[in-house]
Protein backbone atom coordinates (compact mmCIF):
# COMPACT_ATOMS: atom_id res chain seq x y z
CA UNK A 1 0.00 0.00 0.00
CA UNK A 2 1.13 3.55 -0.69
CA UNK A 3 -0.11 6.68 1.09
CA UNK A 4 -1.41 9.78 -0.65
CA UNK A 5 2.10 11.23 -0.46
CA UNK A 6 3.53 8.34 -2.45
CA UNK A 7 5.27 6.67 0.48
CA UNK A 8 5.30 2.88 0.63
CA UNK A 9 4.04 1.24 3.83
CA UNK A 10 4.23 -2.39 2.71
CA UNK A 11 7.30 -2.89 4.86
CA UNK A 12 5.15 -2.33 7.93
CA UNK A 13 3.99 -5.94 7.89
CA UNK A 14 4.28 -6.86 11.57
CA UNK A 15 7.47 -8.78 10.66
CA UNK A 16 5.73 -11.98 11.72
CA UNK A 17 5.29 -10.72 15.27
CA UNK A 18 2.41 -11.58 17.59
CA UNK A 19 1.49 -8.56 19.71
CA UNK A 20 -1.43 -10.24 21.50
CA UNK A 21 0.67 -10.57 24.65
CA UNK A 22 1.10 -6.79 24.78
CA UNK A 23 -2.67 -6.29 24.64
CA UNK A 24 -3.30 -8.93 27.30
CA UNK A 25 -0.77 -7.28 29.61
CA UNK A 26 -2.47 -3.89 29.33
CA UNK A 27 -5.91 -5.49 29.72
CA UNK A 28 -4.73 -6.86 33.07
CA UNK A 29 -3.02 -3.64 34.13
CA UNK A 30 -6.19 -1.58 33.56
CA UNK A 31 -6.48 1.56 35.65
CA UNK A 32 -3.36 0.64 37.65
CA UNK A 33 -1.46 2.25 34.77
CA UNK A 34 -2.67 5.72 35.73
CA UNK A 35 -1.83 5.03 39.37
CA UNK A 36 1.71 3.98 38.41
CA UNK A 37 2.23 7.07 36.20
CA UNK A 38 0.38 9.81 38.11
CA UNK A 39 2.33 12.92 37.07
CA UNK A 40 2.48 13.56 33.34
CA UNK A 41 3.64 17.15 33.01
CA UNK A 42 5.59 16.52 29.81
CA UNK A 43 2.68 14.74 28.16
CA UNK A 44 0.26 17.46 29.22
CA UNK A 45 2.58 20.14 27.82
CA UNK A 46 2.81 18.32 24.49
CA UNK A 47 -0.97 17.90 24.39
CA UNK A 48 -1.33 21.61 25.14
CA UNK A 49 0.87 22.37 22.13
CA UNK A 50 -1.55 20.46 19.91
CA UNK A 51 -4.58 22.12 21.51
CA UNK A 52 -3.12 25.64 21.16
CA UNK A 53 -1.81 25.21 17.64
CA UNK A 54 -4.75 23.47 15.99
CA UNK A 55 -8.02 25.33 15.32
CA UNK A 56 -11.05 24.31 17.37
CA UNK A 57 -12.85 21.39 15.76
CA UNK A 58 -9.69 19.93 14.25
CA UNK A 59 -9.62 16.15 13.97
CA UNK A 60 -6.95 14.50 16.15
CA UNK A 61 -5.86 10.87 16.49
CA UNK A 62 -4.70 9.66 19.92
CA UNK A 63 -2.48 6.73 18.92
CA UNK A 64 -2.27 4.23 21.77
CA UNK A 65 -4.81 6.16 23.84
CA UNK A 66 -4.85 3.80 26.83
CA UNK A 67 -7.41 4.88 29.42
CA UNK A 68 -7.99 8.20 27.65
CA UNK A 69 -6.21 10.04 30.48
CA UNK A 70 -4.87 12.55 30.25
CA UNK A 71 -4.56 13.13 26.50
CA UNK A 72 -7.91 12.22 24.93
CA UNK A 73 -9.73 14.12 27.68
CA UNK A 74 -7.36 17.10 27.42
CA UNK A 75 -7.80 17.39 23.65
CA UNK A 76 -11.55 16.77 23.76
CA UNK A 77 -11.99 19.41 26.46
CA UNK A 78 -10.04 21.83 24.23
CA UNK A 79 -12.67 21.53 21.52
CA UNK A 80 -10.90 19.06 19.23
CA UNK A 81 -12.57 16.05 17.59
CA UNK A 82 -10.69 13.10 19.10
CA UNK A 83 -10.41 9.53 17.83
CA UNK A 84 -8.53 7.22 20.18
CA UNK A 85 -6.99 3.92 19.01
CA UNK A 86 -5.61 1.15 21.18
CA UNK A 87 -4.82 -2.56 20.98
CA UNK A 88 -6.22 -3.29 24.46
CA UNK A 89 -10.01 -3.79 24.81
CA UNK A 90 -9.71 -3.28 28.56
CA UNK A 91 -8.02 0.08 28.18
CA UNK A 92 -10.62 1.19 25.63
CA UNK A 93 -13.45 0.29 27.98
CA UNK A 94 -11.91 2.57 30.60
CA UNK A 95 -11.33 5.29 27.99
CA UNK A 96 -14.98 5.32 26.93
CA UNK A 97 -15.97 5.85 30.55
CA UNK A 98 -13.36 8.57 31.09
CA UNK A 99 -13.95 10.62 27.92
CA UNK A 100 -17.53 10.63 26.73
CA UNK A 101 -16.87 13.16 23.98
CA UNK A 102 -14.31 11.09 22.04
CA UNK A 103 -14.54 8.10 19.71
CA UNK A 104 -12.50 5.02 20.59
CA UNK A 105 -11.53 2.24 18.18
CA UNK A 106 -9.91 -1.15 18.78
CA UNK A 107 -7.05 -1.50 16.28
CA UNK A 108 -3.41 -2.41 15.89
CA UNK A 109 -1.14 0.31 14.55
CA UNK A 110 -0.62 -1.74 11.41
CA UNK A 111 -4.38 -1.79 10.76
CA UNK A 112 -4.34 1.98 10.22
CA UNK A 113 -2.46 1.62 6.94
CA UNK A 114 -5.76 1.09 5.14
CA UNK A 115 -6.96 4.59 6.00
CA UNK A 116 -10.32 3.43 7.34
CA UNK A 117 -10.36 6.19 9.95
CA UNK A 118 -9.82 8.97 7.41
CA UNK A 119 -7.33 11.83 7.68
CA UNK A 120 -6.35 13.99 10.64
CA UNK A 121 -5.09 17.47 11.43
CA UNK A 122 -3.03 16.20 14.36
CA UNK A 123 -1.78 13.01 15.98
CA UNK A 124 -0.69 12.36 19.56
CA UNK A 125 1.60 9.33 19.91
CA UNK A 126 2.66 9.25 23.55
CA UNK A 127 4.82 6.20 24.30
CA UNK A 128 2.88 4.01 21.86
CA UNK A 129 5.59 3.53 19.22
CA UNK A 130 8.03 2.24 21.83
CA UNK A 131 5.91 -0.96 21.90
CA UNK A 132 7.20 -1.76 18.39
CA UNK A 133 10.51 -3.30 17.35
CA UNK A 134 12.86 -0.72 15.89
CA UNK A 135 12.45 -2.15 12.38
CA UNK A 136 8.77 -1.18 12.45
CA UNK A 137 9.04 2.31 13.97
CA UNK A 138 10.08 4.16 10.75
CA UNK A 139 7.20 2.49 8.89
CA UNK A 140 4.80 3.49 11.66
CA UNK A 141 6.02 7.08 11.45
CA UNK A 142 5.59 7.16 7.68
CA UNK A 143 2.12 5.66 8.06
CA UNK A 144 1.29 8.41 10.55
CA UNK A 145 2.66 10.96 8.07
CA UNK A 146 0.21 9.58 5.51
CA UNK A 147 -2.74 9.93 7.92
CA UNK A 148 -1.99 13.62 8.44
CA UNK A 149 -3.29 16.37 6.20
CA UNK A 150 -0.62 18.68 4.68
CA UNK A 151 0.98 20.69 7.47
CA UNK A 152 -0.53 18.39 10.11
CA UNK A 153 1.04 18.06 13.55
CA UNK A 154 2.45 15.09 15.45
CA UNK A 155 3.18 15.20 19.17
CA UNK A 156 5.53 12.27 19.78
CA UNK A 157 6.89 10.93 23.05
CA UNK A 158 9.40 8.13 23.51
CA UNK A 159 11.60 6.91 26.34
CA UNK A 160 15.29 7.55 25.66
CA UNK A 161 16.95 4.12 25.59
CA UNK A 162 19.25 2.29 23.22
CA UNK A 163 17.15 -0.90 23.13
CA UNK A 164 15.33 -2.95 20.50
CA UNK A 165 12.39 -5.23 21.32
CA UNK A 166 13.69 -5.55 24.88
CA UNK A 167 11.66 -7.61 27.38
CA UNK A 168 11.09 -5.75 30.65
CA UNK A 169 8.91 -6.26 33.75
CA UNK A 170 5.97 -3.88 33.87
CA UNK A 171 3.41 -3.83 36.69
CA UNK A 172 3.53 -7.57 37.19
CA UNK A 173 3.73 -8.43 33.49
CA UNK A 174 6.38 -8.54 30.78
CA UNK A 175 6.20 -6.20 27.81
CA UNK A 176 8.61 -5.64 24.93
CA UNK A 177 9.90 -2.13 24.24
CA UNK A 178 12.26 -0.27 21.92
CA UNK A 179 13.88 3.13 22.09
CA UNK A 180 16.46 5.49 20.65
CA UNK A 181 18.95 7.99 21.94
CA UNK A 182 17.83 11.56 21.30
CA UNK A 183 19.95 12.32 18.23
CA UNK A 184 18.99 9.05 16.56
CA UNK A 185 15.29 9.62 17.21
CA UNK A 186 15.55 13.08 15.65
CA UNK A 187 17.13 11.54 12.57
CA UNK A 188 14.42 8.86 12.30
CA UNK A 189 11.54 11.36 12.49
CA UNK A 190 13.14 13.70 9.94
CA UNK A 191 13.75 10.82 7.53
CA UNK A 192 10.06 9.90 7.98
CA UNK A 193 8.94 13.24 6.55
CA UNK A 194 8.58 15.50 9.59
CA UNK A 195 10.07 18.85 10.56
CA UNK A 196 11.01 19.23 14.23
CA UNK A 197 9.45 22.44 15.56
CA UNK A 198 10.14 21.80 19.24
CA UNK A 199 11.65 19.21 21.56
CA UNK A 200 12.24 18.66 25.26
CA UNK A 201 13.32 16.00 27.74
CA UNK A 202 12.00 15.14 31.15
CA UNK A 203 13.33 12.88 33.89
CA UNK A 204 10.46 10.75 35.11
CA UNK A 205 10.20 8.48 38.16
CA UNK A 206 7.05 6.31 38.10
CA UNK A 207 5.18 5.81 41.35
CA UNK A 208 5.59 2.04 41.00
CA UNK A 209 8.92 0.54 42.05
CA UNK A 210 8.27 -2.15 39.42
CA UNK A 211 9.07 0.38 36.69
CA UNK A 212 12.52 2.03 36.61
CA UNK A 213 13.07 5.81 36.30
CA UNK A 214 13.36 7.03 32.73
CA UNK A 215 14.23 9.95 30.50
CA UNK A 216 11.27 10.94 28.32
CA UNK A 217 11.75 12.60 24.93
CA UNK A 218 9.04 14.89 23.55
CA UNK A 219 9.09 16.04 19.92
CA UNK A 220 6.69 18.58 18.39
CA UNK A 221 6.59 17.70 14.70
CA UNK A 222 4.96 19.07 11.56
CA UNK A 223 4.35 17.08 8.40
CA UNK A 224 6.86 18.41 5.85
Amino acid sequence: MSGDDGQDYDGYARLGLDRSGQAEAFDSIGDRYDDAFPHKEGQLAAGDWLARTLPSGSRVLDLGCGTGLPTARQLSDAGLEVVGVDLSPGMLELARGNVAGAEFVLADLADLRDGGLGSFDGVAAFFSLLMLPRAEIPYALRMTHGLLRPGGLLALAMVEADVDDFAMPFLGHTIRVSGYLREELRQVVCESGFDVVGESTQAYAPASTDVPPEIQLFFNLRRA
Side-chain angles (χ1 to χ4, degrees):
M1 173 186 172
S2 293
D4 58 8
D5 53 2
Q7 296 186 56
D8 182 9
Y9 311 133
D10 282 338
Y12 188 24
R14 305 168 188 252
L15 303 180
L17 296 171
D18 177 7
R19 282 194 275 272
S20 60
Q22 302 274 59
E24 291 165 0
F26 281 94
D27 281 344
S28 299
I29 290 166
D31 55 8
R32 288 191 293 132
Y33 180 87
D34 290 325
D35 293 335
F37 295 86
H39 306 295
K40 301 180 181 178
E41 288 84 356
Q43 185 169 334
L44 287 167
D48 182 62
W49 171 71
L50 282 177
R52 286 185 292 102
T53 309
L54 292 172
S56 180
S58 295
R59 196 161 186 260
V60 179
L61 177 65
D62 187 0
L63 201 54
C65 61
T67 67
L69 302 177
T71 299
R73 178 183 286 177
Q74 178 188 23
L75 298 177
S76 181
D77 287 349
L80 303 177
E81 180 184 342
V82 179
V83 178
V85 170
D86 205 280
L87 187 62
S88 164
M91 287 289 194
L92 287 174
E93 182 178 355
L94 292 169
R96 292 184 181 106
N98 287 329
V99 194
E103 176 187 358
F104 294 100
V105 178
L106 178 67
D108 185 278
L109 288 171
D111 298 333
L112 304 183
R113 291 176 301 168
D114 299 329
L117 294 180
S119 58
F120 295 87
D121 303 294
V123 175
F126 295 134
F127 311 109
S128 49
L129 299 191
L130 62 83
M131 300 295 172
L132 304 176
R134 273 193 185 178
E136 287 196 346
I137 291 174
Y139 291 112
L141 284 166
R142 289 196 285 273
M143 177 203 67
T144 303
H145 184 282
L147 293 173
L148 282 166
R149 296 174 178 132
L153 305 179
L154 169 61
L156 175 69
M158 295 281 285
V159 173
E160 185 171 32
D162 188 13
V163 296
D164 183 13
D165 201 30
F166 175 74
M168 63 170 284
F170 188 79
L171 301 179
H173 297 267
T174 299
I175 62 172
R176 307 191 72 85
V177 298
S178 301
Y180 298 98
L181 300 181
R182 182 172 179 170
E183 292 299 324
E184 189 175 4
L185 179 59
R186 186 185 298 111
Q187 178 179 348
V188 169
V189 297
C190 290
E191 290 176 349
S192 300
F194 292 95
D195 293 328
V196 179
V197 297
E199 60 183 276
S200 64
T201 62
Q202 180 168 329
Y204 190 88
S208 171
T209 56
D210 188 38
V211 182
E214 59 194 32
I215 300 296
Q216 298 177 343
L217 303 175
F218 292 91
F219 280 72
N220 297 344
L221 307 171
R222 186 182 300 274
R223 174 179 158 157

